Amino acid sequence: MDRPSAVERTLREAAPHQVFDVLRSLIERRHQAVGVELLLADYSMSRLQPVGDLPHTGAPLSVHDSAAGRAFGAQQPHCVSDRAASTTTVHLPVSVRGDRLGVLSVTLPGGDGEEPAAGVLEDLWGYADALAHEVVVAERDTDLFLRARRAERLTLAAEMQWQLLPGRSCAREEYSIGAQLAPAYAIHGDSFDWSASADDLVLTVNNGMGEGIDAALLTNLAVNALRNARRAGLGLADQAYLADQAVYGQHGGSQYLAALLLRFDLATGNVEIIDAGSPRVWRLRAGTVEPVELEAQMPLGMFQDTVYTVQDFRVEPGDRLFFVSDGVYDALSPAGEKYSLRALTRVIADTRLLPASQVPRAVLEALLGHRGSGGPATDDALVVCLDWHGRPGAG
């Protein structure tokens, strides 16, 4: 019953809201655990929130300075012994295909300062991996895990935007992606999307216009129009054209959306790109930070029958690409200096050793420091980081 395949079957048979409770019972029986807790990362990626019935009774933990946060950041198990209580707590990352969801913390009897046996760690990590997949599936049918991610109430516009996103990180052998929006609980129109096949990765980054519900509705229309065209097998230019017509047909040019559309050939590193309005692209290559210069074309929905032209460039293994919205690029310091003038280049260089999944959060924290005490942000801030590894053996 405790073989991994049997555990997976048991979790699949559980009611969606009972997936974690079932896993906790399995771990307690097999390993005599004295405590099992699931912590999920909140929307700002700054706290780990305990899963349970509302109102939450457990205190959230910091992603930056807690034992669970260490496992979350490193994506490796982290063990902490408590000699006084004669226990050892194992914190294990809960992730799916590079998307970091949270941490499974298991407290075992015996706090002699030594890590649990390798077989025990492997077993627990298998449980964490199975749980991650089931949480993603269960979220279609229960709000339990979504509510656990909320340190505060989302605005309706933010609710709409977060439901639109594919995730906040993703990893394959050819690339790693990390993305983050701020302010997390009151975002307006900025968004991102990605989809991969055996041959390519399609990535879109959108810089929405307006505020509140109007901005969220505009972004939802544009993103779903792009998805509809992409899923019909159309090329990048036709995807942009059909999304442009969908937005123009609805708003007649009174509202529009700036977007970047990219298609990466996974075998060669060749990139097709359309700059429809604004979001900036920066590249870190061999320690040098530079903007990727593109031909700016009309935003989606500004005019009727806009024709979009695909440009090309190439990424090389080791390249890091940054995509930032105007809320990052144009943010002002108390002295009136734009973030893009010097601070952005500096933070791109300073975060070069971090994995892609952690970079957006670091950039946004640096942005807060740049703005100082000048009051709340007046625009969304979106950062997407893509590390290109290349396909092993290709070219």
Side-chain angles (χ1 to χ4, degrees):
M1 185 59 177
D2 291 315
R3 297 189 308 274
S5 59
V7 169
E8 292 168 3
R9 287 198 301 271
T10 301
L11 293 182
R12 291 168 188 164
E13 293 169 358
H17 64 283
Q18 293 180 325
V19 165
F20 172 58
D21 293 332
V22 169
L23 182 77
R24 177 168 51 200
S25 296
L26 290 173
I27 295 175
E28 288 172 347
R29 287 202 309 269
R30 180 179 178 94
H31 297 287
Q32 292 75 53
V34 295
V36 182
E37 187 173 37
L38 174 60
L39 303 159
L40 295 180
D42 85 316
Y43 286 99
S44 68
M45 297 291 280
S46 62
R47 285 174 280 196
L48 293 168
Q49 302 269 128
V51 171
D53 294 331
L54 292 178
H56 297 305
T57 55
L61 301 177
S62 169
V63 165
H64 307 292
D65 56 10
S66 67
R70 180 171 173 178
F72 182 77
Q75 289 295 285
Q76 292 290 329
H78 178 59
C79 300
V80 179
S81 293
D82 185 342
R83 293 182 181 276
S86 296
T87 60
T88 297
T89 300
V90 184
H91 303 284
L92 304 116
V94 177
S95 305
V96 179
R97 295 187 177 91
D99 192 11
R100 303 180 303 159
L101 305 180
V103 173
L104 176 67
S105 297
V106 181
T107 301
L108 303 172
D112 55 6
E114 296 182 0
E115 291 187 358
V120 173
L121 278 178
E122 183 179 355
D123 201 29
L124 293 177
W125 205 343
Y127 283 130
D129 185 59
L131 177 61
H133 285 267
E134 291 308 314
V135 165
V136 171
V137 175
E139 284 183 344
R140 299 181 306 180
D141 302 308
T142 179
D143 289 334
L144 175 67
F145 303 107
L146 291 172
R147 290 189 301 184
R149 299 185 188 191
R150 302 179 182 205
E152 56 188 89
R153 184 173 178 177
L154 294 174
T155 64
L156 178 54
E159 184 84 52
M160 295 169 66
Q161 294 295 82
W162 281 112
Q163 290 300 309
L164 194 64
L165 301 179
R168 283 177 288 183
S169 52
C170 178
R172 274 182 52 171
E173 62 178 2
E174 298 92 350
Y175 60 84
S176 301
I177 303 175
Q180 182 63 27
L181 286 163
Y185 292 89
I187 53 178
H188 299 143
D190 289 359
S191 183
F192 54 86
D193 194 22
W194 59 66
S195 177
S197 69
D199 302 316
D200 58 29
L201 165 70
V202 176
L203 171 68
T204 61
V205 183
N206 308 305
N207 192 2
M209 171 187 179
E211 298 181 358
I213 298 299
D214 288 340
L217 288 171
L218 173 65
T219 303
N220 269 260
L221 173 61
V223 169
N224 279 292
L226 288 168
R227 288 175 174 172
N228 179 257
R230 184 188 73 219
R231 291 165 183 171
L234 301 182
L236 215 59
D238 287 334
Q239 292 175 32
Y241 175 78
L242 291 180
D244 171 74
Q245 291 306 290
V247 175
Y248 185 85
Q250 183 69 24
H251 298 288
S254 62
Q255 293 189 61
Y256 46 85
L257 180 135
L260 278 170
L261 289 74
L262 302 98
R263 177 189 172 275
F264 295 80
D265 188 304
L266 299 180
T268 66
N270 290 328
V271 185
E272 297 177 347
I273 185 168
I274 294 175
D275 178 357
S278 175
R280 279 36 175 227
V281 187
W282 292 73
R283 177 174 58 208
L284 174 62
R285 174 179 287 175
T288 300
V289 180
E290 58 186 0
V292 177
E293 300 296 340
L294 300 168
E295 176 189 346
Q297 302 177 63
M298 293 296 104
L300 303 179
M302 180 173 280
F303 299 108
Q304 190 172 18
D305 294 325
T306 303
V307 176
Y308 292 93
T309 303
V310 174
Q311 295 178 258
D312 300 275
F313 69 98
R314 184 181 177 88
V315 285
E316 300 175 358
D319 281 358
R320 169 169 283 182
L321 299 181
F322 281 83
F323 309 89
V324 297
S325 66
D326 287 347
V328 176
Y329 198 81
D330 295 333
L332 299 176
S333 71
E337 180 181 296
K338 282 189 176 183
Y339 192 63
S340 59
L341 188 61
R342 283 189 295 264
L344 181 58
T345 301
R346 184 166 58 247
V347 75
I348 289 174
D350 289 347
T351 57
R352 65 190 182 278
L353 298 181
L354 291 177
S357 59
Q358 296 185 36
V359 169
R361 182 70 256 166
V363 173
L364 291 172
E365 288 177 352
L367 178 66
L368 287 175
H370 174 82
R371 281 203 303 253
S373 56
T378 58
D379 195 4
D380 290 355
L382 165 65
V383 179
V384 178
C385 175
L386 184 146
D387 283 349
W388 185 259
H389 313 305
R391 179 167 288 176

